[in-house]
Structures are given as structure tokens and as C-alpha cells.
């Protein structure tokens, strides 16, 4: 498997994206990654839902060979690094 980063990102307009890319410094410098729109919703118990379309998931899978499980784990780790203990649920619609 390639060395990848997988993360949820929110821009200054509040739009959210799921990003997958290479962790090689040369690739980072050259902006080698794929970004797809996502929906982000937090419910009353603090659970965070992140969804992308099947078309966008298939693009990430084709470009980077990622699975839904890899994305779920990476998003959970991202939240833990940011100090959140909320449940994260990734879904493809």
C-alpha cells in the first residue's frame, strides 16, 4: 500500500471535503492528492457523520486504492489527534 494521508477538511466557507493523497514530500510539494466534496453532520449525542457519493468514493478508490474501512480508521484517528472522542461514521451514499 502507498503511504497516504486521508483527512476531512473544511474550507473557510464551511464546505467539507474528503482528501486522499501521497505523503511523499515531493508529492506534497506538488499538491498530489484527490479532494472530493463530503457532507458533515453532527447529531445531538456528538456523533459525526461524514458522507460522500459512490461516484466520488470510486474516484478515490481508483486513484489511491483506498477502502471504506481505511477511510473510517483514518478519520477516527484524525478526530483523536484533534482531541475529540466523538464517534465518527463514514458512509458512501
Amino acid at each position: 500500500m502507498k503511504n497516504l494521508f486521508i483527512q476531512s477538511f473544511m474550507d473557510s466557507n464551511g464546505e467539507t471535503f474528503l482528501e486522499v493523497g501521497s505523503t511523499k514530500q515531493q508529492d506534497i510539494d506538488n499538491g498530489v492528492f484527490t479532494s472530493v466534496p463530503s457532507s458533515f453532520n453532527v447529531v445531538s449525542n456528538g456523533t459525526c457523520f461524514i458522507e460522500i457519493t459512490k461516484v466520488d468514493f470510486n474516484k478515490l478508490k481508483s486513484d489511491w486504492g483506498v477502502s471504506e474501512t481505511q477511510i473510517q480508521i483514518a478519520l477516527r484517528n484524525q478526530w483523536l489527534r484533534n482531541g475529540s472522542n466523538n464517534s465518527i461514521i463514514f458512509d458512501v451514499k
Side-chain angles (χ1 to χ4, degrees):
M1 184 176 114
K2 302 173 187 173
N3 292 323
L4 300 176
F5 71 84
I6 300 171
Q7 67 182 13
S8 178
F9 174 77
M10 182 180 289
D11 70 12
S12 60
N13 296 322
E15 294 183 55
T16 59
F17 302 88
L18 183 64
E19 300 179 335
V20 179
S22 171
T23 59
K24 292 181 183 177
Q25 190 59 51
Q26 180 180 350
D27 291 339
I28 293 169
D29 294 344
N30 291 318
V32 177
F33 70 97
T34 303
S35 180
V36 297
S38 65
S39 65
F40 179 87
N41 186 32
V42 180
V43 296
S44 61
N45 69 359
T47 300
C48 300
F49 292 88
I50 298 174
E51 296 178 347
I52 63 173
T53 67
K54 284 184 182 182
V55 169
D56 287 334
F57 174 73
N58 287 336
K59 177 160 181 51
L60 295 176
K61 187 175 177 180
S62 172
D63 288 354
W64 301 102
V66 295
S67 69
E68 289 183 51
T69 301
Q70 287 173 302
I71 294 172
Q72 174 72 42
I73 291 168
L75 292 174
R76 178 70 182 141
N77 289 339
Q78 178 184 359
W79 260 250
L80 289 172
R81 282 191 308 273
N82 291 332
S84 174
N85 61 359
N86 290 344
S87 293
I88 304 298
I89 298 174
F90 172 70
D91 196 18
V92 176
K93 294 284 183 185

